[in-house]
Amino acid sequence: MAIETLSPRDVTGTLSYFAGKDAYYYVGEPPAGVPRSNIEENLRPYEVTIHDTRGKEDAFSLDTTGFAFVRLPSEEREFKDEEAIRGGYYKEIEELLKAQTGAKRVFVFDHTVRRPPTPESLADKSYRGPSVGISVTCRSEVGVITYCLHLQRWVHGDQTTQAAIHRVYDHMGADADRLIKGRWRIINVWRPIENPVAHDPLVLGDWRTLNTATDIAPMRLIYPHKVGGTLTVRYSAAHRFHYLSGQTPDEVTLIKCFDSQDGVARLAPHTSFKDKTSPSDAPQRQSIEVRALVFDLE
């Protein structure tokens, strides 16, 4: 078997793929005697080459690969003030997405800040650390409950088609029927906080290397009041993965979660990976991700 030659910053990493059938996860308590999920038992690790995009950022775009890199210094630096995030930073993201996509209307519907654990944060039930899997959110009578799937380096997509459509109707109210007739997208804008990324870099799969008939399958998210959906990805040696080495807080990654238009990248599978070449004393990763609905119609 031929061995792939690595460039100086191309690295190898272990990513996990789903290898079972009919993936599901109960958000909340499952019925008596039913396991909460069948995901973890069906994950299989694969060693893959992860290609560095540094210096080649312009070779990637939302419509071709499903992800893109943009230099966008932010006025917000600490991301500790919720009002400042929802006010000023949301506005920055709206303007960025309009400029990058040509969209007429952008609606930011949530954000997540992730920081390394401290004794204080571990005592806080709302704490969100650096993600190596995915998380799902349930709105209940007692507020917003977040359940984290601690699935190591699990390659996944964020939205099934039906779940994406539900997002539009959940957030856009009376305008949903009109907006959904044009092109619309869900895009995640991911930014490091305070220091460049050394540990657990974000890794992104090139849409063009996926076989949509065999490589992508839905996973049911079974809420107390509805059934939602995210996506599992099955292994193929054809998949090609990328990361941006030393990504700084002035650089954002745009990750496509869904696109209603045919003939372009529908999404970018993603996760994180352990970079064995990172200095052990480098600061831990911190990040903010903002998810938005992006419409071509007003």
Side-chain angles (χ1 to χ4, degrees):
M1 182 177 68
I3 303 298
E4 185 166 4
T5 301
L6 303 183
S7 68
R9 285 302 296 153
D10 286 359
V11 296
T12 58
T14 302
L15 305 182
S16 294
Y17 282 86
F18 183 72
K21 296 181 179 179
D22 301 323
Y24 74 89
Y25 180 84
Y26 278 91
V27 183
E29 290 303 314
V34 177
R36 181 182 295 277
S37 175
N38 67 343
I39 299 296
E40 192 162 12
E41 67 191 64
N42 286 297
L43 290 182
R44 301 293 181 267
Y46 290 87
E47 195 81 1
V48 302
T49 300
I50 303 172
H51 300 274
D52 189 4
T53 65
R54 178 64 67 188
K56 300 173 284 190
E57 293 92 332
D58 290 346
F60 305 90
S61 73
L62 287 170
D63 281 352
T64 56
T65 56
F67 60 90
F69 305 99
V70 180
R71 181 172 174 80
L72 183 76
S74 174
E75 292 185 11
E76 180 63 34
R77 307 305 292 181
E78 295 187 343
F79 298 94
K80 294 179 180 178
D81 185 326
E82 282 289 308
E83 289 189 11
I85 294 172
R86 294 181 181 277
Y89 190 60
Y90 275 22
K91 185 65 175 177
E92 290 179 4
I93 297 305
E94 290 169 7
E95 294 304 316
L96 166 69
L97 290 174
K98 286 179 180 179
Q100 290 295 313
T101 67
K104 301 295 191 298
R105 185 169 178 178
V106 174
F107 179 82
V108 174
F109 60 83
D110 69 13
H111 73 272
T112 301
V113 176
R114 303 184 190 275
R115 301 184 189 277
T118 64
E120 294 76 20
S121 65
L122 289 174
D124 180 355
K125 292 183 179 180
S126 66
Y127 165 72
R128 302 289 290 278
S131 176
V132 294
I134 68 167
S135 59
V136 293
T137 300
C138 173
R139 296 187 178 275
S140 72
E141 294 179 357
V142 295
V144 177
I145 305 171
T146 299
Y147 301 86
C148 293
L149 284 64
H150 298 291
L151 305 174
Q152 295 295 313
R153 324 298 175 191
W154 177 35
V155 182
H156 65 277
D158 285 348
Q159 308 272 173
T160 62
T161 298
Q162 197 59 45
I165 292 170
H166 285 163
R167 276 286 179 195
V168 178
Y169 283 91
D170 285 346
H171 297 295
M172 306 314 296
D175 291 339
D177 280 336
R178 177 176 55 81
L179 292 170
I180 213 165
K181 291 177 181 177
R183 184 186 183 184
W184 57 278
R185 285 152 277 188
I186 298 177
I187 298 174
N188 182 332
V189 182
W190 191 93
R191 177 194 295 274
I193 296 174
E194 293 193 23
N195 46 263
V197 176
H199 302 290
D200 298 306
L202 186 67
V203 59
L204 303 128
D206 186 332
W207 166 260
R208 297 169 298 183
T209 66
L210 270 68
N211 182 328
T212 57
T214 58
D215 296 352
I216 302 174
M219 166 182 151
R220 289 177 295 140
L221 296 176
I222 306 170
Y223 294 82
H225 57 291
K226 68 176 184 179
V227 177
T230 187
L231 294 168
T232 64
V233 181
R234 299 183 183 279
Y235 175 75
S236 167
H239 295 168
R240 189 174 177 89
F241 288 97
H242 302 271
Y243 81 116
L244 180 62
S245 63
Q247 184 172 353
T248 73
D250 287 341
E251 298 171 310
V252 297
T253 303
L254 308 183
I255 310 168
K256 189 184 287 186
C257 303
F258 179 81
D259 195 325
S260 67
Q261 182 165 299
D262 293 332
V264 299
R266 177 61 56 87
L267 56 91
H270 55 279
T271 184
S272 66
F273 76 99
K274 182 175 179 60
D275 185 353
K276 299 173 184 177
T277 69
S278 295
S280 60
D281 59 349
Q284 294 298 310
R285 194 187 86 186
Q286 304 179 67
S287 65
I288 180 169
E289 57 192 82
V290 173
R291 294 192 299 164
L293 288 160
V294 179
F295 300 99
D296 277 10
L297 299 179
E298 292 281 2

